[in-house]
Amino acid sequence: ECIDGGMTNNLPTFSDIRTITCSPFSSQADICPEDLSTRNVTFANQNFKASSENLYRGARALFPPSRNILKQYYQMAHDDAERFIQRNIIT
């Protein structure tokens, strides 16, 4: 039997080096979508925002959308990473 690592430790970090965390869900990860919810839910070592947008993202993870929507997700992730770089790397 096998279990996906996302079910046990979705955002591993290392104490001896800086770890940049990424998540497709709005959470406390360094790179992730930004939802307005102030409520959090903890699952698999990750704090998620309790939002309808995250529920929708979870459903999309189980039932993948069309190629066009996946391209939109790719662009959103690119924008999230760019925002992180602008805020934290570039001075």
Side-chain angles (χ1 to χ4, degrees):
E1 291 183 40
C2 297
I3 188 166
D4 186 291
M7 299 297 288
T8 57
N9 188 358
N10 200 35
L11 289 175
T13 57
F14 303 94
S15 59
D16 57 338
I17 60 173
R18 174 146 188 232
T19 306
I20 298 173
T21 55
C22 301
S23 176
F25 300 100
S26 183
S27 65
Q28 294 178 341
D30 295 309
I31 301 172
C32 67
E34 294 181 350
D35 292 349
L36 297 177
S37 175
T38 57
R39 303 186 95 190
N40 293 312
V41 175
T42 302
F43 179 74
N45 196 37
Q46 183 178 358
N47 255 333
F48 296 97
K49 297 282 184 174
S51 67
S52 58
E53 294 92 342
N54 267 349
L55 286 175
Y56 186 73
R57 291 179 189 111
R60 289 293 195 185
L62 297 174
F63 305 101
S66 69
R67 185 178 181 92
N68 188 43
I69 292 174
L70 290 173
K71 286 180 182 181
Q72 292 173 19
Y73 285 174
Y74 175 86
Q75 186 61 49
M76 289 189 303
H78 177 275
D79 295 345
D80 293 338
E82 185 70 29
R83 186 173 46 250
F84 172 80
I85 291 168
Q86 291 295 328
R87 290 180 182 168
N88 297 283
I89 307 296
I90 298 175
T91 56

